[in-house]
């Protein structure tokens, strides 16, 4: 299934009115099935679905390590990801009993938005980066996102490992972009604990919690964080940065990692 499709639209430009073709992003309901049971269904863009499923399952602590993954396959014309893995049954039960709909666009469930209930380790990494590197990477971020360039209708995330290695996630839902970028990195065998994450949208609680669950030490955005996002970052030692634009940024918590 293609991630985009075209449709005819009526366009008005100045005093001209004409029919033209427009490219739109496709939206599907993606089912995630683990060991024969449906664990979740998310609204998503049909690209990098396997990476999205893996990232989501690991961010919810259902799969704890990439080595626990036995098989992952895309079925039903790209609308289902079938996973065989060693899983944490307690996390599945927690998602079913305590999961809430996320605030990002694209309906999804998470059990990781309460700072007092998130089962994650404090990030103690001494990983750091120059402020100039973050500013430069954020400045060219949007030029590396082909689906955004084509449709202008998706959020984006970029996980930066080093100058030669980075992973892009694009989706209608902000939280899906992180899962896709991290899922790609995990499938490629990258060390995500010595990396930094950039996202295109707001730093809401579920976005910040995903970085904590993945043990990524730095997350940054061109926009702001919510109060709950800041509280999560403070409790778990995450470097949280907003308004990264031009030559400035706002570091909400743990500024020691930005040199």
């Amino acid at each position: 299934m293609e991630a985009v499709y075209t449709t005819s639209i009526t366009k008005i430009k100045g005093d001209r009115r004409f029919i033209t073709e427009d490219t739109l992003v496709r939206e599907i309901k993606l089912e995630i099935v683990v060991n024969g049971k449906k664990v979740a269904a998310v609204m998503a863009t049909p690209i990098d679905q396997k990476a999205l499923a893996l990232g989501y399952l690991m961010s919810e602590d259902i799969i704890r390590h990439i080595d626990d993954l036995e098989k992952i396959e895309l079925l039903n014309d790209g609308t289902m990801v079938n996973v065989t893995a060693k899983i944490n049954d307690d996390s599945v039960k927690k998602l079913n009993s305590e999961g809430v709909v996320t605030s990002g666009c694209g309906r999804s469930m998470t059990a990781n938005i309460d700072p007092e209930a998130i089962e994650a380790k404090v990030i103690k990494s001494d990983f750091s980066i120059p402020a100039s590197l973050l500013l430069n990477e954020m400045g060219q971020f949007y030029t590396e996102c082909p689906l955004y360039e084509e449709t202008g209708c998706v959020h984006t995330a970029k996980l930066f490992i080093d100058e030669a290695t980075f992973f892009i996630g694009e989706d209608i839902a902000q939280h899906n972009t992180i899962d896709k970028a991290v899922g790609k990195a995990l499938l490629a065998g990258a060390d995500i604990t010595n990396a930094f994450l950039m996202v295109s949208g707001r730093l809401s609680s579920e976005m910040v919690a995903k970085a904590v669950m993945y043990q990524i030490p730095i997350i940054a955005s061109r926009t702001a964080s919510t109060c709950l996002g800041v509280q999560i970052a403070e409790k778990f030692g995450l470097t949280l940065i907003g308004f990264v634009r031009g030559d400035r940024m706002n570091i909400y918590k743990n500024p020691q990692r930005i040199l």
Side-chain angles (χ1 to χ4, degrees):
M1 182 184 296
E2 295 293 327
V4 298
Y5 70 102
T6 58
T7 188
S8 295
I9 63 169
T10 299
K11 189 166 187 173
I12 295 176
K13 189 173 183 180
D15 59 358
R16 296 176 58 215
R17 180 188 184 100
F18 54 95
I19 304 296
T20 186
E21 293 293 304
D22 194 24
T23 301
L24 305 180
V25 69
R26 195 181 298 273
E27 182 178 11
I28 65 166
K29 178 183 177 182
L30 179 67
E31 294 189 339
I32 302 174
V33 177
V34 182
N35 299 338
K37 296 182 180 180
K38 187 172 84 170
V39 170
V42 300
M43 299 306 297
T45 304
I47 184 173
D48 301 322
Q49 294 98 309
K50 290 192 289 185
L52 168 58
L54 176 61
Y56 176 81
L57 293 170
M58 294 193 73
S59 73
E60 293 296 327
D61 200 35
I62 293 172
I63 296 178
R64 289 188 165 169
H65 194 275
I66 187 64
D67 292 341
D68 293 332
L69 177 68
E70 297 177 18
K71 183 176 70 172
I72 185 166
E73 56 184 344
L74 192 60
L75 304 175
N76 294 1
D77 195 27
T79 62
M80 175 189 290
V81 179
N82 187 47
V83 176
T84 303
K86 176 185 175 182
I87 65 170
N88 179 6
D89 289 320
D90 289 341
S91 291
V92 176
K93 294 176 183 176
K94 181 181 177 184
L95 181 65
N96 290 334
S97 63
E98 302 179 26
V100 297
V101 178
T102 62
S103 62
C105 51
R107 187 179 180 89
S108 183
M109 297 281 287
T110 181
N112 293 321
I113 60 170
D114 182 353
E116 302 305 318
I118 298 174
E119 296 179 8
K121 297 177 182 178
V122 172
I123 300 171
K124 298 180 179 179
S125 171
D126 58 1
F127 175 77
S128 63
I129 58 173
S132 58
L133 175 61
L134 178 56
L135 291 167
N136 180 68
E137 289 299 319
M138 187 65 79
Q140 66 181 28
F141 180 19
Y142 291 96
T143 67
E144 299 165 325
C145 305
L147 194 57
Y148 175 80
E149 287 290 321
E150 190 174 6
T151 68
C153 191
V154 293
H155 288 283
T156 57
K158 178 179 179 180
L159 183 64
F160 181 96
I161 308 295
D162 56 44
E163 295 286 353
T165 311
F166 60 86
F167 301 90
I168 298 289
E170 297 186 274
D171 200 276
I172 55 167
Q174 293 185 83
H175 43 271
N176 288 354
T177 66
I178 295 181
D179 289 335
K180 285 183 175 182
V182 173
K184 286 181 177 180
L186 293 170
L187 288 170
D191 179 8
I192 65 174
T193 62
N194 285 301
F196 65 90
L197 181 64
M198 294 170 282
V199 297
S200 60
R202 64 191 179 278
L203 294 163
S204 54
S205 57
E206 67 268 22
M207 304 285 280
V208 178
K210 282 183 182 294
V212 169
M213 292 299 294
Y214 291 131
Q215 295 287 285
I216 297 170
I218 301 170
I219 183 172
S221 173
R222 286 175 54 84
T223 62
S225 175
T226 64
C227 174
L228 188 53
V230 170
Q231 291 172 8
I232 293 171
E234 181 175 30
K235 178 171 181 177
F236 290 97
L238 173 72
T239 298
L240 180 65
I241 312 167
F243 294 105
V244 185
R245 303 176 184 181
D247 62 352
R248 64 189 188 276
M249 65 183 74
N250 293 350
I251 306 176
Y252 295 106
K253 294 296 174 182
N254 297 293
Q256 71 276 9
R257 295 192 182 98
I258 305 301
L259 308 178

